[in-house]
Structures are given as structure tokens and as C-alpha cells.
Amino acid sequence: MNRTAVIVVLTCLCCPAGPAQSTGFGPQQTITTSAGNAFSVYAIDLDGDGDADVISASHADDKLAWYENLGAGVFGPQQVITSNVDGPRRVYATDLDGDGDADIVLASDLDDQITWYENLGAGSFASQQVISSSADYAVGVFASDLDGDGDSDVLSASHLDDRVAWYENLGGGVFGLQQTITTGADGAEHVYATDLDGDGDNDVLSASKWDDKIAWYENLGGSFGPEQVITVSAIGARCVFATDLDGDGDADVLSASIFDNKIAWYENQGGGGFGLQQVITTSAANAVSVHAADLDGDGDADVLSASFVDNKIAWYENNGGGLFGPQQIVSENASGAESVYAINLDVNPTPDVLSASFLDDKIAWYENLHVPPPSCPTGVCLDLLAGGTLGSPLALIFQSSSPNSACFVFADTQTGALPLPVGTTVTYTQIAFSSDVIPFADPTNTFGQSLTNPTTDANGNWSVVLNVPNDPSLQGMTFYGEGYVLDVFPPLPPNGLFWQSNLLTVTIQ
């Protein structure tokens, strides 16, 4: 029978049992080493040119500064916005005065201040405007619409008075008096806001150090309900963040805690209820910061951490269903890491990583080398195990609804790692190309073919030839797709947990 050769090329991915250097990120690239005791980093478009610029707050030199993104991952020199604060700790940016550009809000601990800085356009900023000087040892700040009037109000966390508070945006850059949400957050460290109970308004989250607490406060429409404790098992809680981690459409909660070296998450069970603490890692020594973003382009939110004692920036792949992979190290050269953030900084569509590190006065970034998989319309990329059981032949018919789409998916149920040795059986091979229909009904087990002459080039890419039923209409065409390898490492069962490869090309010859 005539067959068509499909040549598959991809980069080898291995799945180690413990922490490992991540192959998905480039080396540390320094933006500045002139941020004395750098505490916080954030990024957003400040100059209106469409790319994300970087902002830092540094404690020892009292500087709030920004760094222009010049394109292609190159950043300009430090531009100081102010040094007229005492002990800058946390920075955030969003449009505060309704003029369409991103203004900056800052918490500084030694002067108990929450301040903001108007963006005047083209990268220039107005002088300091004080929102409050009554936040005793202000360490956390955030901004979000809390009263439903369409503008961003400001939140603060202050450590010595155990207070979480908010300040109403009255319009035109004017803010109201401090309104206390709670004074029961013992050693308040961090604050965040998002809709937690599905009613359409932004609720408030806090992390407090001395009571080991992550808590939330329901938004009742410009006022807030009492403290609702999510956990008191985040020992030395330092940071809190929220996003959908399990794909059910609501915001789950993440915490970083310093005394137990822990990154953990808490499932949002709906209606304001949260599940028990689920530990992602206890290998982040003095975990101080946590963030989440889709780092590998597979559509779910992966987790990032910064840990002070081991100088580490690390990430944890979201494997779906609330399961996270082992710690993968982005860098161990962020001395006294204090802050981590992710946003696209270059031409690659996946978010890159930023860090602020206290002991080396450094703001740095790490290029995300993951290439997102192609988008396959519904009906093209089918469940790998649909209609069959693991290890048995599978008869499927694929039909693409888009003439420009293609998807190539394979799994190896024997090794669970790449590269595959000669003779390894590919139990399932699935293909969907253009609008062609390719049947795989083959009682002689078309799917169970041995790989032929795998080769590896100087870059570590390997290629194999898989024989598929002949289809002349596919000859000479090149498609883009993605590869998966079934994870069979103990203790995970071989029943559908997959590791994603880098983008590959499929050429029909």
C-alpha cells in the first residue's frame, strides 16, 4: 500500500522529578543595577508606543524609576520619577485620572505614604501627589474599580497598624479619605482585588505575615464585608494573587509565604467559598512573591515565584485539573529576589518574566522561549484518547473546518520522555490537515508503528519518519502543529497527563 511520509521536527523536552533549570527561558538580562535594594517591579505601556515599559521601586535610594522599552528586548537607562519618598516598597500602574494612559501609584513604608504620579505623556510624569500619609508602614498597594463607577480606586496594606484600606477615586486625579476595610490583618503585607464571588464587582484579598493569613473581603457595593479567612497555614504570608487556575471560570487564590518556603493555591468553589490549601512547592526558600500567567502558551495560567534566600525565580507548569508540575528554575542569579512579574516584553507573543532583587540592586528580565501552539478550530484537535483505551488501536476520522488550520499530535505511552529510542512504538498518531479527510480505520494497527531512523541535529532537534496512509493532496505542503508526550513518571498515572513540546513543523513529502 502506498504511504505518505510525515517528517516531524521538534525540540527535546525532558520531565525531571525535581527542580531543574528550565529550558523555556533565556538567561538573565539586566535592565539596571542602580535600583538600591530593589523591592518591586511592574510593567505596562507608559509612553504610548504599544510595548510594555518597566517600573521599579527601590528602598535604599528612595527611587521610583522607569525604563523605556526600546524594542526587541532592549531597555533604555533608568529614568527617575521621584526620590522624594522614604522607603519605596510596592508599585503598580493603571489609568487613575481617566486620560487613557497609565499613571503610577506607590507605597512607601518609612513615611507611611500612598502616593501617585500622573503620566503627562511621552514618558514624563508630574510631581508626587499624596493620597494618604496615614498608612502605618505602607508595604502594599493596588488599584481597581471598587465602587462600580468606572474609575480605579486605590488599595493599601500597612504593616504596623494591620490595616487594609481603600481610597475612593473622586475623578480628575482626586482621592477621598482613607476608608478602613480591616485592622485585623496582623502584619499586613500585600493586597489584591478581583471578583471572587461571581457577582461582577471586585472583592479584596490580603496577605498578613504574623497571623499566617490569607483572607478576603466581599465588596458590598462601595463598602466591604467582614474578613473571611481562606487559610491560616501560609506561615509568614507575604504575597497574594488571584486568577483562574483550574479552568472553571472563577478566580482561584495563590499565596507566597516566607517561613515555610511555600507557594500554594486555594480553589474557588463558588459563592465565596474556598478549598483547602494545596501546596505547589516548599522549595522556594523565603518565598516572597507569587504571580501567574500563561507561560507556555497552552491556554492555562502557570505560576511564578520569587524567593529571597535562594536567589531564585522559578515557574510551575499548570498541567490542568489543578495539578502543577515540579519547580523549574528560571534563574538563581537574582540575589535576594523580592518581586516577580510576567508580561510580553519582546516580539514573542508569550509573556516574559521580570524580577526585582534586593541584594544586588537589580531589575532584570528573562526571555520566554516557549512558542505557543497553533490555534486549531473546534473539531480539528480531538481528545487524544477519544473513542479508545490506552495501549489499544484507535480508529478515528479527522476533518478540519478551516482550510488554513492543521494539527499534528502524537503520544508515546512507553517512555514518557524525548528523544525516543529506535523501535519505540507510537501508540496513537493523529493528524488533521486542511479540509482533507484522513481515515485511520486499520485493523492491522496503523497507530502502532515503530519510529524509523530518528536523527538529532547540532541544535538538539530530532526528527523521525512516521508512515501514514497516502494522500497525494498533502504532498509538498508544510504545516505547523504541536507534539505531546504522555507523562508516565511515578506517581502520576498514564491516563492523560501530557507535557507539551515546542512548536514543530510537519512537512509532507
Side-chain angles (χ1 to χ4, degrees):
M1 180 174 69
N2 291 329
R3 294 182 182 271
T4 301
V6 180
I7 298 178
V8 184
V9 182
L10 70 162
T11 300
C12 172
L13 287 183
C14 295
C15 307
Q21 189 70 36
S22 174
T23 58
F25 291 88
Q28 183 184 81
Q29 301 186 57
T30 300
I31 296 174
T32 190
T33 53
S34 298
N37 294 157
F39 236 111
S40 180
V41 67
Y42 191 73
I44 196 171
D45 185 9
L46 293 174
D47 52 8
D49 62 356
D51 53 26
D53 309 295
V54 174
I55 313 168
S56 67
S58 43
H59 200 263
D61 55 13
D62 297 327
K63 277 192 292 196
L64 171 66
W66 77 287
Y67 313 84
E68 184 181 359
N69 189 334
L70 302 175
V74 178
F75 290 87
Q78 183 183 80
Q79 301 185 57
V80 177
I81 297 170
T82 189
S83 56
N84 187 32
V85 286
D86 198 357
R89 282 286 291 257
R90 184 73 61 177
V91 65
Y92 186 72
T94 190
D95 186 9
L96 295 174
D97 54 6
D99 62 357
D101 52 26
D103 309 296
I104 296 174
V105 61
L106 178 70
S108 45
D109 54 24
L110 298 181
D111 57 11
D112 308 327
Q113 284 191 344
I114 305 297
T115 53
W116 79 283
Y117 306 83
E118 182 184 359
N119 190 333
L120 300 176
S124 64
F125 290 86
S127 58
Q128 177 189 99
Q129 300 185 61
V130 177
I131 296 174
S132 177
S133 55
S134 300
D136 195 359
Y137 207 75
V139 292
V141 71
F142 192 71
S144 182
D145 185 8
L146 298 174
D147 53 7
D149 63 356
D151 53 27
S152 290
D153 309 294
V154 172
L155 280 161
S156 68
S158 40
H159 188 86
L160 294 182
D161 57 9
D162 309 325
R163 179 174 287 147
V164 176
W166 76 288
Y167 312 85
E168 183 182 359
N169 189 332
L170 302 175
V174 178
F175 289 86
L177 299 176
Q178 182 184 83
Q179 300 185 59
T180 298
I181 296 174
T182 188
T183 54
D186 190 4
E189 284 282 346
H190 198 242
V191 68
Y192 190 75
T194 192
D195 185 9
L196 294 173
D197 54 6
D199 62 357
D201 54 25
N202 290 315
D203 309 295
V204 173
L205 279 160
S206 67
S208 42
K209 182 177 182 178
W210 301 122
D211 55 11
D212 311 320
K213 189 188 298 176
I214 303 296
W216 78 284
Y217 313 85
E218 183 181 359
N219 190 331
L220 302 175
S223 64
F224 292 87
E227 174 186 88
Q228 300 187 56
V229 176
I230 296 174
T231 190
V232 289
S233 298
I235 311 304
R238 181 67 183 276
C239 186
V240 66
F241 188 74
T243 192
D244 185 9
L245 295 173
D246 54 7
D248 62 358
D250 53 26
D252 307 296
V253 173
L254 282 160
S255 66
S257 40
I258 60 175
F259 297 139
D260 55 8
N261 307 320
K262 189 186 294 176
I263 303 296
W265 78 285
Y266 313 84
E267 182 184 358
N268 189 331
Q269 298 178 335
F274 288 87
L276 298 176
Q277 183 183 83
Q278 301 186 57
V279 177
I280 296 174
T281 191
T282 54
S283 297
N286 210 236
V288 291
S289 182
V290 66
H291 188 68
D294 184 6
L295 298 174
D296 53 8
D298 63 355
D300 52 28
D302 309 295
V303 174
L304 278 162
S305 67
S307 40
F308 187 92
V309 171
D310 55 13
N311 310 316
K312 191 186 293 178
I313 305 298
W315 77 287
Y316 314 84
E317 183 180 358
N318 189 332
N319 291 326
L323 300 176
F324 289 87
Q327 184 182 81
Q328 300 187 58
I329 297 169
V330 177
S331 178
E332 293 179 287
N333 296 315
S335 184
E338 275 286 352
S339 180
V340 67
Y341 188 68
I343 192 171
N344 185 21
L345 296 171
D346 56 11
V347 295
N348 188 327
T350 48
D352 307 295
V353 174
L354 281 159
S355 67
S357 40
F358 187 86
L359 298 179
D360 56 10
D361 310 325
K362 187 185 295 179
I363 304 297
W365 78 285
Y366 314 84
E367 183 181 2
N368 192 336
L369 304 177
H370 292 93
V371 180
S375 176
C376 292
T378 302
V380 177
C381 298
L382 302 183
D383 188 333
L384 194 64
L385 303 181
T389 58
L390 202 64
S392 64
L394 190 64
L396 293 176
I397 297 177
F398 292 88
Q399 184 173 8
S400 171
S401 59
S402 170
N404 297 318
S405 68
C407 189
F408 178 90
V409 181
F410 74 94
D412 162 47
T413 63
Q414 294 189 6
T415 66
L418 302 178
L420 304 178
V422 175
T424 297
T425 297
V426 177
T427 306
Y428 302 125
T429 301
Q430 304 181 3
I431 296 179
F433 286 130
S434 187
S435 58
D436 299 283
V437 179
I438 306 178
F440 282 100
D442 187 347
T444 62
N445 191 8
T446 297
F447 295 91
Q449 302 172 59
S450 295
L451 305 183
T452 304
N453 299 322
T455 59
T456 304
D457 65 20
N459 296 319
N461 298 322
W462 65 276
S463 62
V464 296
V465 176
L466 305 178
N467 292 320
V468 298
N470 182 53
D471 188 337
S473 67
L474 300 178
Q475 293 179 3
M477 302 179 72
T478 298
F479 301 90
Y480 293 91
E482 64 182 309
Y484 289 85
V485 174
L486 187 62
D487 178 13
V488 295
F489 284 99
L492 299 177
N495 61 356
L497 300 174
F498 294 91
W499 296 88
Q500 181 181 321
S501 81
N502 288 341
L503 188 70
L504 58 86
T505 60
V506 180
T507 303
I508 308 301
Q509 296 182 336

